[in-house]
Amino acid sequence: QKGLDIKILRADDLFISTDIEKLERITRNIISNSLKFTEKGGVSIDYGTEGEMFFVEIMDSGRGIPENEIPLIFNRFYRGAKSDTESLGLGLAIVKELVEVMAGRVEVKSIIDKGTTFRVYLPLQSA
């Protein structure tokens, strides 16, 4: 409805051993949030490996997150000071919990009025 683009930046195959249901939920929640807070442009998805870790990076051209709010966005029910959505504030909390259960980590970088990048790292071999 907003006319946003979703682009996958890589076309090469990458095979990993992981819990696909958890990975799908993680990426779906981040992409959903990215689209919710983006008015023009869109979302780009990248992936690859770094050392013993696999990563998925989701970048948007949205409104960005104030630096002081970044540590709070993974808290349950946190919706941000300027949130105008009817979200319950659970999506990113679920992301963090799933990533941690999978022995990974999530990093966030954001610039106001430029966009936000979420990078999820997961071990190449899940336990």
Side-chain angles (χ1 to χ4, degrees), residues 6 8 13 15 18-19 44 64-65 67 71 79 82 96 117:
I6 297 180
I8 298 177
D13 292 335
F15 296 95
T18 194
D19 184 325
S44 298
I65 303 167
E67 189 174 335
R79 293 181 24 197
K82 294 186 178 180
K96 185 173 184 194
T117 299

Side-chain angles (χ1 to χ4, degrees), residues 29-75:
N29 283 356
I30 295 172
I31 292 168
S32 173
N33 262 26
S34 293
L35 292 172
K36 192 182 308 178
F37 294 105
T38 299
E39 296 302 321
K40 62 182 182 198
V43 175
S44 298
I45 303 164
D46 196 10
Y47 59 89
T49 59
E50 282 186 12
E52 297 297 314
M53 302 294 271
F54 159 74
F55 71 85
V56 175
E57 186 172 78
I58 299 165
M59 303 154 280
D60 67 51
S61 58
R63 66 173 81 157
I65 303 167
E67 189 174 335
N68 64 320
E69 288 187 29
I70 290 176
L72 306 173
I73 63 174
F74 295 105
N75 294 345

